[in-house]
Amino acid sequence: MTDGAPVLRLPLRDEAATHALGRRIAARLRGGDVVALSGGLGMGKTTIARAIIAALGHEGEVPSPSFAIIQTYDPPSVSLPICHADFYRLDDPAEVEELGLDDYRRDAALIAEWPEHAGGFEFDPACLSIRLEPADEGRIAIVKGAKDWQGRMP
Ligand SMILES: Nc1ncnc2c1ncn2[C@@H]1O[C@H](COP(=O)(O)OP(=O)(O)OP(=O)(O)O)[C@@H](O)[C@H]1O
Ligand SMILES: [Mg+2]
């Protein structure tokens, strides 16, 4: 891509490093943002989502929304409304509308696993795209911020 969007390649040697990335994202997150988490099965998408949601103040379990598809978290238990979605089971991006995603999003930040199954969010100026890939040690995160993320990359 030559659109000038900042791109970072962050080595994540172990699960603790994945948690630390989630905390850095949480510290920079605003309403209306999208954190698009892509990468294969078991690459750590839910791990990052859990770290973000915990860092925003949520105590207790963060279920993987692979069956519910959408799980929301609202203040006061979190400092920012969050919509955590796992689009893996969608067969067609048109189903996103039927889910009522726009109503859930409103002022929330959206954390999206399998974003490509929902048509992708990379053209949203508030999208932080994170692709997780295997590395010799642990994982590598390829992080790309759209316009609204300039100056606040994690
Ligand atoms: N940096 C890392 N290095 C090694 N293992 C890691 C790292 N980060 C997370 N893990 C481990 O990888 C697994 C990731 O599972 P997780 O459920 O987060 O994946 P996922 O991408 O959400 O998978 P799915 O597509 O099935 O939803 C967990 O067992 C976690 O402990
Ligand atoms: Mg997952």
Side-chain angles (χ1 to χ4, degrees), residues 33-144:
D33 282 342
V34 183
V35 179
L37 300 169
S38 60
L41 288 167
M43 273 297 120
K45 301 178 293 295
T46 301
T47 305
I48 292 190
R50 287 187 170 128
I52 295 171
I53 294 164
L56 292 171
H58 178 77
E59 292 174 8
E61 294 281 298
V62 173
S64 172
S66 40
F67 289 96
I69 303 188
I70 289 176
Q71 182 78 42
T72 57
Y73 300 85
D74 290 302
S77 65
V78 280
S79 52
L80 179 72
I82 294 292
C83 177
H84 179 198
D86 182 336
F87 296 116
Y88 184 74
R89 295 196 306 126
L90 293 196
D91 297 318
D92 185 330
E95 293 173 34
V96 171
E97 210 169 315
E98 292 162 33
L99 283 170
L101 181 67
D102 289 344
D103 292 328
Y104 287 110
R105 282 183 67 180
R106 295 193 183 274
D107 306 323
L110 171 65
I111 303 173
E113 301 186 43
W114 297 98
E116 61 276 23
H117 287 204
F121 297 91
E122 60 271 25
F123 297 112
D124 187 323
C127 185
L128 182 71
S129 299
I130 300 182
R131 177 158 198 90
L132 295 164
E133 293 182 358
D136 291 343
E137 274 185 283
R139 315 274 190 260
I140 186 159
I142 298 145
V143 182
K144 191 161 143 196

